[in-house]
Every structure is written in C-alpha cells, then in structure tokens.
Amino acid sequence: MGDVDKVGGKNASLGEMISKLSDAGVKVPGGFATTAEAFRDFLSFSGLNEKINTALTQLNIDDVVSLAATGAQIRQWVLDAEFQPELNSAIESAFAEMSGNNASMSVAVRSSATAEDLPEASFAGQQETFLNIRGLDQVKQAIKEVFASLYNDRAISYRDHHHFAHSEVALSAGVQRMVRSDTGASGVMFSMDTESGFSHVVFITAAYGLGETIVQGAVNPDEFYVYKPTLKQKIPSILRRTLGSKAIKMIYAGDGSTTKAVETVAVDAKDRHRFSINDDDVQTLAEIAVTIENHYGRPMDIEWAKDGDDGQLYVVQARPETVRSRDNGNVIERYLLKEKGKILVEGRSIGHRIGSGPVRLISHVSEMSKVQPGEVLVTDMTDPDWEPVMKRAAAIVTNRGGRTCHAAIIARELGIPAIVGCGDATEILRDGQVVTVSCAEGDTGRAYEGRLNFEHQTNSVDSMPGLPFDIMMNVGNPDRAFDFQSLPNAGVGLARLEFIINRMIGVHPKALLNLDDQSPEVRQVIDRRIAGYDGPINFYIEKLVEGIATLAAAFYPKKVIVRMSDFKSNEYGHLIGGDQYEPGEENPMLGFRGASRYISESFRDCFELECRALKKVRDEMRLTNVEIMIPFVRTVGEAKHVVELLSDNGLRRGENGLRLIMMCEIPSNALLADEFLEYFDGFSIGSNDLTQLTLGLDRDSGVIAHLFDERNDAVKKLLSMAIDACKAKDKYIGICGQGPSDHPDLAKWLMDQGISSISLNPDSVLDTWFFLANDTD
C-alpha cells in the first residue's frame, strides 16, 4: 500500500493483498501494472501535457456540452499517441512472463488512478475496465484506452467536484488474469452496511457472470447480510437473504479485443429463481471481507468473483469504503416523512434521505443537459458517466441496478436519495410530474405522488441526559434495524412477529404446510415467493429466522423481546391462501388470537414453526439476547398451557438464559397478576388493548375514538396493579403500547410509578427522552 503514488490505489491494493493476505486465504489473481511514471512519460513523449492542461483550464465544468466536447477531444489525442519505446518494451516482456505458453490467456485491463480509492473519495467507476482481452496487441490497445479514460467526462467532473487537480492525477493500467466468473458468479461486498453504517455486518451482492453487470447497475442482484461477531465462531451467521431477479449476465464472446470481448445474455428462468451462490460461499466471502478489513484497519468495498471452472472464490479489487465510514457517529441525522401519498414506484433505497421535485425523464447520457437543479432524475440505469448531472438532482430513480453499483456509491457520496431496481419507473413516471422520493423507510424506497412534507432532524448522542429507567424501542421492520440501533436505546421492547410474517413471507402458514392442497393459481404465487429456499416449510422458518436474527444482531447484546404472532383472524385471512383456514368472526379483535390460537389443535403446527425459528436463532446462531413474549393470555390455565407447549418445542424457560414475558393487556392480567407471574418472568403492558378492554371500546371504531385514552383513571389503576405486582416479585415490568409514544405525560407518570422500561416507536424516542429528562431536572 506504500505504492499508491506509483501504481494507484487499485493496483497497490491488489499487490498488498497478494503479498500480505495470500496465506490468510485471500486469493487474488496475479498480473502486472504499468506505473504512474510511465503514464506521465507517455504524455510528455507525445507532447500532450501542455495541450491537455490548457484544454482543462479553459473548460467550464458546469457546461455539459462543452465538457463532452473537451473530454472527447482529449481522449482522441491519447488514443492517437504512440507509447514511448521503454513502456512498449516493458509491456511486451511483462505480458510474455505472465502468459507463458498460454497464448490465449484472457486478462482484464483495468485503470488505477493515483488519487483513487482514498478514504475520502472512492473514484468508483471513473475510468474504464476491459474484460476478456486476449493477445499482446489487444492488451496494448486496452492499456491505451485505459489511459484515455482518465479524461472521461465523469472523471473530469468528479475530480473537479472533489477538488483534485487534474494534472496531479496519473493513471496505472493493471493487467490481471481473468477469473472464469462468466461460468460462475461475481459481486461486490462491503464490510459494513452501506445504508446505515452498521459495522457488525458484511453486506454481499451476487449475480451470475462477470461482475460488470452488478458494478454498472445493469442487474438486480441477490443480497446477503452476515453477522461478523458469530462468524468468527464458525456458526451460522447469515442474517438475511434477498433473491434478486438476475435477468442478465455478462459472458465471454468475440475475439478478445476491446470492442468485442464480452456479451450480455439472458439468464435461464430456473437460475433466476435460485440464489447465485450457496450459504457456504456467503460465509466464506464474509470471512474474506473481515480478513481484508482487519488488515487495512477500516471498512472496505470489495469486488469478488467465483470461478465456474475451479469453484474457488477470488478477490479482484478492495478499496476503502468512503461514505458511511466517515460519518460522525455521535450525530444522529433523521429524515421523517410527515405524510403519505399515492405510491407510484418502489425499489431498493440508497441512503436514508428524502427529496422531491419535478420528474425529468432521461433516456440517454447525451440528454443530461436537460436536468435542472432540484429535479428528480428518472432513467433506465445510471452509470458513473452521469456524475456531472447527478449532483444537480434532488433525487434519482432507476429501473435497474443494485445497492452496490457505481451509481449507488456516487449517489451516497453526493448525499442524494436514490431508488434503484424499480423495474418500470420510466414507464410510470411522467416528465414534469412532481414526486417525493423517500429512502427513509427501510430497504424499500418509494416515489410518492406530489410534494409531501418531511422533516430533517439532527441530534447529538452526547447530549442525551440520564433517566431513572430504560427506554427501549418498538421495532417490527427488520429493514430498519441497523438504522434504528444507532438511536439511544436499551434494546427492543417489542418486535412483532406478525410484521415479519406480513412483510417477508406474505403466505398463511397453513397454505405452506398444505401446499399440495392449494389451487393452481395460489400454488403459482406461492412457488414464486418461496423461490431460492428448500421447500415451503423451510421458507417459512428461514424467513422468520432472518427477520428475528436481523433484529437480534442489530441490538446485541441488548434484549430483543420478540412477541409471537398476534394476527387476528381477518388479518391472517388476508395472507396468501389464508381465507380457507380462518373463521369468519364478527369481532376478530376479541376472537381467535394470541395464546388461544397457539394451544388450539387447528393452529398448533403453525405455532411449532415459530418455535423452530426462535430456537434456531437462540441455540444455533447464539443470539441469546432474544426473549419471547406471549400476547393475549386470557386465563391462568392458558398461561400454563402455552409455557408447557414452548418447553415441548425446546424453548424451556430459564434454559440458556431464556426469559418468557407475558403481554399484560387484559384486565384479568392485572387483577390476577400474581397468578400469571408464576409462569412468566415479567409483564410488558399493551396499553392499546388494555384501554380497549377496560373502557369497553373498539379501538378500530372511529365513532367513539374520542373516548380512547390510555390516561383514563381506570386504566391507570390497572397499570399500577401490574407494576406493583412485578416489583414485589422483582420481575421485569415494561410497557410497549402506543400510549407513551403519543403522550409524554403518560411516560412521565409511568416513570414515577417505578416501571422498569418504556418501549417507544423510534420516531418518538428522542422527543420523549428530552421531555422526561427536562421534567426530572
């Protein structure tokens, strides 16, 4: 790495890994690099130095037309120039040594700038890469094309934006043996979460064929998150899997020249519907990422390739991550959408920001000058060529692309919200239409109709005052777990399993258990959902595991209290295939739900699937910070029965530190608190249902909504009974209902009552925290 000034960041890093990490299991294909000195001598030998500097000095970087013309002129000068004899001879001897007797060896010819891959700027994709180049003459031509690419429009603009002097940046060409990922797979991985900056995971993307399709954003790849702390212990560490569409792949083609060496072809349907790499590959890649990160001592952005011939995993590039790793962890920045509108398109979100403005549809890079400051750029696919105009946009929306493509990296650096992989954004959004692009709601980014109100907040974690009890959070959406963990908190007081079932599964468990009984139409929908998993039951369990494990890992070692499913019959009925398994109830809110459902013969096999998922997270993945909460326990007899059923399924209270918590949300729970606490390690108060059942209100009824108030004296009396009973037995007592989030004065009353914790919605944590702290001063 001491040779960045000689061969640029990319080639210095490749040499560093070959020399220092080969024995640690990091395989990097060998090759050679021309030097920055050779590049400067080439420009001097050709008399290009002064011509290029003059042209760039006179250039108005904001004039897109002038930028394009100047860049094209300089590139042609470079291509027309001859190598100096010393460089020509050095390339010939190095390629002969590299290829040996293999005249048809395929190589990649890649750029490496002396200012790139620095911790403060990635220079991602600014220069060219040529794949499957064969023969000495073609290698020479590719090197010249790489030299010329230092003056791509995007590279000129990027250097200007980051205040790098053009004359001080030189180029090295790396010539590297190709990995046969055209018959295997490839991708990009980061040793942190790119969106939240959460440092305890490795984020991996993967697709079939050569890696350029992912890097360019031409394909929607598979995605994986792996948890670093347990990875070291050689235990299952994959937190989440997302199946990408992977519609195309890039393979070898043609004559090995710079103009005809690769082609893009469609991926077979059966391959699209399975993951492009297996779990063992994912774990191995994560181990490689951690090894590289530890060596460099900073978060890394790594390109990898799996050789389809030898089955081995190779690293073909590693550079510092340049956006999230520079964030000040003491400052919390939040964008909050204050209203909702009609959703026009959805895709993968880049960044956690929100932007709005009129749509500008662009079909080709030549139309970039049409984009005016504050407009929303909408196109099929962006690439680094678009950088000069990306910084003008209020937001970016594309049909194609994944979260690790070059355009996504540039959007993050520029601080612009972007939604990639929407599929049909250019067909649905109209030129001039005003939209709000929200990337502040999790992994899914949404473009809403109209200009919606949103709020931008910044708070310093250092300024958070102490409180006499714990503030936890209600987190149902695993998409936001890595983001929410950065808020001040004492863990998760409520993680709703039904949220995971609804968002990540979407199918009634009975329909999966009885897949052969489903109609052809339902079966087709389910088959698409379970693609990539080993059967319907495995899909259900593994998706539960992924949701729970993501929450547990994000907040580890803090407690994450997972409430087992509390769908009502009408909500279960809305799941795919659910209508045939659910009773028609007049008032589902007071019907077949919670503990009554678990112990019934008709639902017990579904409950056992939830138990299997929780057991895997706790016992196999070692995320023992997960605690189990049982909702809507009507009688002490039900309490006893459910605890026995959990034990029968390997979730025995007290074993491996397992705590069982009961929702206290029915008046009988508070009135018979001592009896219920014989079977549980504490209560978590559900103030919504407790208020409903105490005051005889249907909380879903708008007619009597004005009477619904958790601060009613009767409700408070029951709250006091529950708190006192738990304190007398030295057991956990918290509240996870909506009340404290909506009413800071209720949170203050609960604090005065001596409650152990209150669990708030994430968007109310900071406001409530400061309210309580100010009140205790």
Side-chain angles (χ1 to χ4, degrees):
M1 281 311 295
D3 295 329
V4 172
D5 60 333
K6 295 184 178 69
V7 292
K10 184 181 301 175
N11 288 334
S13 181
L14 290 169
E16 176 80 7
M17 290 186 291
I18 289 171
S19 59
K20 304 284 180 61
L21 296 179
S22 294
D23 291 342
V26 179
K27 297 182 176 69
V28 179
F32 67 88
T34 66
T35 64
E37 181 185 6
F39 174 77
R40 292 191 177 98
D41 288 348
F42 164 71
L43 294 184
S44 177
F45 179 77
S46 309
L48 289 179
N49 266 328
E50 193 170 328
K51 286 173 69 176
I52 291 173
N53 289 337
T54 300
L56 292 177
T57 301
Q58 295 173 351
L59 174 64
N60 176 6
I61 204 76
D62 294 320
D63 183 342
V64 177
V65 175
S66 177
L67 172 62
T70 302
Q73 176 67 75
I74 295 174
R75 292 192 296 276
Q76 195 58 52
W77 289 342
V78 174
L79 291 173
D80 290 342
E82 296 292 330
F83 286 138
Q84 66 272 37
E86 297 90 342
L87 177 57
N88 194 63
S89 173
I91 291 170
E92 290 178 358
S93 59
F95 186 69
E97 181 182 346
M98 177 183 177
S99 58
N101 297 323
N102 185 3
S104 62
M105 169 183 269
S106 290
V107 298
V109 182
R110 312 170 76 190
S111 63
S112 179
T114 54
E116 76 175 349
D117 296 349
L118 303 176
E120 62 272 14
S122 71
F123 283 73
Q126 297 309 309
Q127 284 83 45
E128 296 294 347
T129 291
F130 298 94
L131 304 176
N132 189 29
I133 302 301
R134 297 196 299 273
L136 177 61
D137 290 343
Q138 299 296 350
V139 168
K140 288 181 180 179
Q141 179 61 30
I143 290 173
K144 199 172 286 187
E145 297 265 9
V146 162
F147 283 1
S149 73
L150 187 63
Y151 305 104
N152 281 334
D153 301 354
R154 65 200 184 208
I156 295 170
S157 174
Y158 189 90
R159 288 195 295 272
D160 185 80
H161 177 73
H162 285 276
H163 308 295
F164 284 92
H166 298 292
S167 59
E168 292 178 9
V169 180
L171 211 59
S172 162
V175 180
Q176 189 176 20
R177 179 179 68 80
M178 284 285 290
V179 176
R180 289 305 304 262
S181 58
D182 61 310
T183 60
S186 57
V188 180
M189 57 183 174
F190 286 80
S191 62
M192 68 188 305
D193 176 39
T194 54
E195 303 311 306
S196 66
F198 184 58
S199 62
H200 295 303
V201 290
V202 177
F203 175 55
I204 300 169
T205 61
Y208 299 112
L210 303 176
E212 283 299 291
T213 56
I214 289 183
V215 171
Q216 293 169 356
V219 69
N220 297 337
D222 299 329
E223 296 181 356
F224 308 88
Y225 282 101
V226 186
Y227 189 47
K228 291 181 193 173
T230 53
L231 183 68
K232 300 172 187 173
Q233 303 168 45
K234 302 293 183 182
I235 59 178
S237 302
I238 301 174
L239 297 178
R240 292 181 63 190
R241 305 167 183 84
T242 303
L243 190 70
S245 56
K246 307 181 298 294
I248 58 171
K249 65 178 177 179
M250 186 179 286
I251 60 172
Y252 284 10
D255 57 9
S257 68
T258 57
T259 57
K260 193 178 180 183
V262 295
E263 65 178 345
T264 301
V265 299
V267 173
D268 290 343
K270 66 176 180 9
D271 289 333
R272 294 184 200 180
H273 296 140
R274 62 183 180 87
F275 290 106
S276 51
I277 54 176
N278 60 37
D279 284 2
D280 288 343
D281 290 334
V282 174
Q283 294 251 144
T284 301
L285 284 169
E287 290 169 2
I288 291 169
V290 170
T291 298
I292 293 172
E293 179 182 57
N294 289 342
H295 179 75
Y296 284 94
R298 59 170 65 99
M300 298 295 287
D301 167 359
I302 302 160
E303 293 179 25
W304 61 270
K306 182 177 182 178
D307 194 304
D309 292 351
D310 66 18
Q312 297 294 308
L313 294 164
Y314 296 88
V315 171
V316 294
Q317 184 174 334
R319 58 182 172 227
E321 194 278 340
T322 58
V323 182
R324 296 300 317 196
S325 55
R326 286 188 291 148
D327 281 358
N328 180 352
N330 291 325
V331 176
I332 299 168
E333 183 180 50
R334 295 189 302 156
Y335 283 77
L336 301 172
L337 199 60
K338 305 301 286 185
E339 56 182 332
K340 293 291 179 74
K342 179 183 176 183
I343 297 172
L344 301 174
V345 295
E346 293 184 335
R348 306 294 278 164
S349 64
I350 306 299
H352 289 309
R353 296 171 182 256
I354 299 173
S356 60
V359 165
R360 182 61 59 211
L361 283 169
I362 300 295
S363 59
H364 189 266
V365 68
S366 62
E367 301 176 322
M368 283 195 304
S369 59
K370 294 181 180 178
V371 179
Q372 299 304 308
E375 293 185 332
V376 175
L377 170 61
V378 179
T379 187
D380 178 55
M381 178 180 80
T382 62
D383 62 37
D385 280 332
W386 297 67
E387 195 274 341
V389 76
M390 288 169 74
K391 60 191 176 190
R392 295 185 193 172
I396 299 166
V397 182
T398 70
N399 292 340
R400 294 190 283 164
R403 285 169 49 193
T404 56
C405 67
H406 282 323
I409 293 171
I410 300 300
R412 287 190 200 98
E413 286 191 7
L414 295 173
I416 297 168
I419 308 174
V420 298
C422 295
D424 54 4
T426 53
E427 297 171 26
I428 292 176
L429 301 179
R430 304 186 312 276
D431 208 52
Q433 177 183 21
V434 175
V435 298
T436 298
V437 174
S438 172
C439 294
E441 301 169 79
D443 283 354
T444 301
R446 299 179 178 90
Y448 293 95
E449 189 173 54
R451 195 182 297 272
L452 304 181
N453 290 325
F454 65 89
E455 187 178 335
H456 178 209
Q457 299 180 349
T458 55
N459 290 91
S460 172
V461 176
D462 292 339
S463 67
M464 301 306 291
L467 292 173
F469 68 164
D470 289 334
I471 288 198
M472 304 177 80
M473 282 192 286
N474 301 332
V475 182
N477 185 356
D479 289 357
R480 303 299 309 276
F482 299 149
D483 191 28
F484 288 150
Q485 61 80 32
S486 64
L487 291 168
N489 70 87
V492 176
L494 172 62
R496 299 178 177 91
L497 214 56
E498 62 269 14
F499 200 104
I500 296 170
I501 294 169
N502 201 35
R503 287 283 297 252
M504 298 175 67
I505 297 173
V507 185
H508 196 289
K510 278 287 188 184
L512 294 170
L513 286 162
N514 301 283
L515 186 60
D516 293 340
D517 297 338
Q518 306 309 308
S519 68
E521 295 78 17
V522 172
R523 176 70 187 261
Q524 187 178 32
V525 173
I526 293 176
D527 283 343
R528 281 201 301 269
R529 289 261 176 165
I530 67 176
Y533 290 83
D534 186 18
I537 295 172
N538 173 265
F539 164 75
Y540 191 80
I541 294 171
E542 286 303 313
K543 279 299 180 188
L544 286 177
V545 167
E546 290 173 21
I548 298 165
T550 298
L551 292 167
F555 289 88
Y556 192 89
K558 299 170 185 173
K559 300 296 185 187
V560 173
I561 302 175
V562 176
R563 187 178 73 186
M564 302 193 79
S565 64
D566 192 27
F567 277 132
K568 290 76 177 173
S569 55
N570 60 326
E571 294 167 334
Y572 256 126
H574 289 150
L575 296 174
I576 296 166
D579 51 356
Q580 62 182 308
Y581 297 107
E582 293 298 323
E585 296 184 283
E586 288 294 329
N587 191 346
M589 188 74 75
L590 300 181
F592 192 42
R593 60 178 289 201
S596 301
R597 186 178 276 269
Y598 307 155
I599 63 180
S600 70
E601 290 294 332
S602 64
F603 192 80
R604 190 171 300 181
D605 51 356
C606 303
F607 178 70
E608 288 172 356
L609 298 183
E610 296 180 24
C611 292
R612 286 169 64 181
L614 281 158
K615 183 171 171 55
K616 178 173 180 178
V617 172
R618 284 183 48 84
D619 294 352
E620 293 181 37
M621 301 182 75
R622 313 280 176 84
L623 294 167
T624 52
N625 59 324
V626 168
E627 301 187 336
I628 295 174
M629 183 149 68
I630 303 299
F632 226 75
V633 186
R634 290 178 168 96
T635 69
V636 176
E638 279 191 341
K640 181 174 184 290
H641 199 161
V642 170
V643 171
E644 290 171 349
L645 200 54
L646 285 168
S647 180
D648 291 343
N649 282 279
L651 295 168
R652 188 170 292 107
R653 181 184 170 199
E655 196 171 275
N656 201 13
L658 176 61
R659 285 203 314 180
L660 299 183
I661 308 297
M662 191 186 95
M663 287 286 287
C664 178
E665 54 191 337
I666 303 171
S668 63
N669 300 154
L671 294 168
L672 297 177
D674 289 343
E675 287 83 351
F676 281 106
L677 287 170
E678 291 298 313
Y679 299 98
F680 291 94
D681 298 295
F683 282 164
S684 182
I685 297 165
S687 56
N688 293 358
D689 274 342
L690 189 62
T691 302
Q692 169 180 248
L693 296 171
T694 302
L695 300 179
L697 298 170
D698 179 350
R699 74 187 206 206
D700 289 341
S701 170
V703 180
I704 49 174
H706 63 286
L707 295 173
F708 190 95
D709 191 338
E710 296 94 330
R711 296 166 295 180
N712 181 277
D713 287 341
V715 179
K716 280 186 169 180
K717 189 156 191 173
L718 291 170
L719 293 175
S720 292
M721 292 172 68
I723 293 169
D724 291 344
C726 288
K727 287 170 65 178
K729 291 181 177 290
D730 195 26
K731 296 202 174 190
Y732 170 81
I733 177 65
I735 185 168
C736 59
Q738 186 71 22
S741 295
D742 290 343
H743 308 297
D745 57 322
L746 177 61
K748 167 69 167 59
W749 181 84
L750 289 164
M751 181 172 71
D752 294 341
Q753 293 293 306
I755 201 166
S756 307
S757 72
I758 61 172
S759 193
L760 302 167
N761 296 334
D763 61 1
S764 64
V765 165
L766 296 177
D767 291 341
T768 305
W769 193 306
F770 283 117
F771 172 85
L772 294 172
N774 291 336
D775 207 83
T776 56
D777 288 345

